[in-house]
Amino acid sequence: MRYELYYWPTIQGRGEFVRLALEEAGADYVDVARMPARKGRGMGMPALLACLDRASSAQPAFAPPVLKAGELLIGQTPNILLYLGARLGLAPRAEAGRLWAHQLQLTIADWLTEVHDTHHPVSGKLYYEDQKKEAKRRADDFTEQRLAKFLDYFELVLANNPRRGGFLVGGRLSYVDLSMFQMVAGLRYAFPKAMARLERDYQGLTALHARVAERPNIAAYLASKRRLPFSTEGIFRHYPELDN
């Protein structure tokens, strides 16, 4: 099956968690909004939203990412990964394991929202410069309190995995491990000082990040132009004044 991913063409964002799963599995997919304009597929934000509205009028998506798989149009990152995990060999076969992976991915989604709110705590419609004071307070709380809570939790999940394979779920790589790789990479970009201070206490997660980065398909993806760089337009943004 050829999958079609609908997401913004210039940022990693939430779509990157889906891209990593597709790339690791060597899946046949197109990143629709990043296709060359000469092929009639490249599009900006207004056109992308219009395309999604037309494509999913019966079950409209609230926002990208959206994955088209045959006749299915699937929205929300954890929901997309729940679907792909079972089909790409990136989730446990047993129902209990699949639900556990989904639960962890939903927790990662909560964590990602908190990352976003460090630079946009008041409104997504306002520029960062219009809410810098509030962002500083939110980022201080995140780097001093919330960040360690999430890292503690996932380090515990890793340590308590009875399979002892160095993965978060079961005895082999899952989409949750790929998502954790993205979280660590993004946090290192957005909060290099805070992560440098904290990472020595989370050897399991840092080792997991390194192992994922070395996987052949992921290494090739990271070295390619398909991997968009982090920037101050995405969810992970580096503003030195917010990094303690």
Side-chain angles (χ1 to χ4, degrees):
M1 179 184 295
R2 166 166 278 201
Y3 299 100
E4 293 183 6
L5 175 64
Y6 291 82
Y7 197 67
W8 310 127
T10 59
I11 62 172
Q12 291 185 17
R14 291 175 176 83
E16 192 66 13
F17 296 87
V18 181
R19 292 188 187 111
L20 285 167
L22 292 166
E23 291 284 346
E24 165 61 23
D28 183 9
Y29 82 99
V30 290
D31 206 333
V32 175
R34 298 186 66 203
M35 293 289 285
R38 67 180 180 274
K39 294 186 178 180
R41 304 301 292 275
M43 58 186 75
M45 289 188 182
L48 177 59
L49 287 174
C51 178
L52 286 174
D53 287 341
R54 290 194 301 273
S56 58
S57 57
Q59 296 177 318
F62 180 76
V66 171
L67 183 78
K68 187 174 188 296
E71 297 300 316
L72 293 176
L73 285 162
I74 308 162
Q76 294 288 356
T77 302
N79 200 34
I80 295 170
L81 292 172
L82 177 65
Y83 173 83
L84 287 176
R87 287 155 181 81
L88 300 180
L90 293 173
R93 295 185 179 90
E95 182 181 39
R98 292 197 303 273
L99 289 173
W100 175 230
H102 187 52
Q103 179 177 324
L104 292 176
Q105 191 66 42
L106 289 168
T107 305
I108 288 173
D110 291 340
W111 189 6
L112 193 65
T113 296
E114 293 202 24
V115 172
H116 170 271
D117 289 351
T118 61
H119 51 78
H120 275 76
V122 178
S123 172
K125 287 188 174 182
L126 296 174
Y127 290 108
Y128 164 69
E129 288 73 19
D130 298 324
Q131 50 194 315
K132 289 180 71 172
K133 181 178 179 181
E134 295 87 350
K136 176 60 176 171
R137 290 186 64 188
R138 187 62 178 263
D140 285 350
D141 178 70
F142 180 77
T143 56
E144 294 169 11
Q145 302 292 331
R146 300 296 294 169
L147 178 55
K149 286 183 179 294
F150 281 102
L151 291 170
D152 283 345
Y153 173 71
F154 283 102
E155 187 78 9
L156 179 64
V157 169
L158 192 62
N160 286 354
N161 184 351
R163 298 294 292 274
R164 300 293 182 183
F167 299 111
L168 287 162
V169 179
R172 59 193 179 99
L173 183 95
S174 74
Y175 64 80
V176 183
D177 300 305
L178 298 169
S179 293
M180 184 54 59
F181 162 84
Q182 177 67 5
M183 290 301 301
V184 172
L187 289 164
R188 285 176 174 175
Y189 168 78
F191 303 104
K193 290 182 180 178
M195 286 297 285
R197 183 180 71 250
L198 291 169
E199 275 196 60
R200 59 179 173 268
D201 295 326
Y202 303 100
Q203 295 299 310
L205 293 177
T206 56
L208 175 61
H209 171 274
R211 286 200 307 278
V212 171
E214 292 172 354
R215 294 181 69 86
N217 285 357
I218 295 299
Y221 171 61
L222 296 177
S224 75
K225 292 182 179 180
R226 298 190 304 281
R227 170 73 167 186
L228 293 162
F230 290 107
S231 72
T232 52
E233 293 181 358
I235 293 177
F236 295 102
R237 302 187 183 190
H238 177 58
Y239 297 114
E241 63 271 20
L242 301 185
D243 183 24
N244 293 323

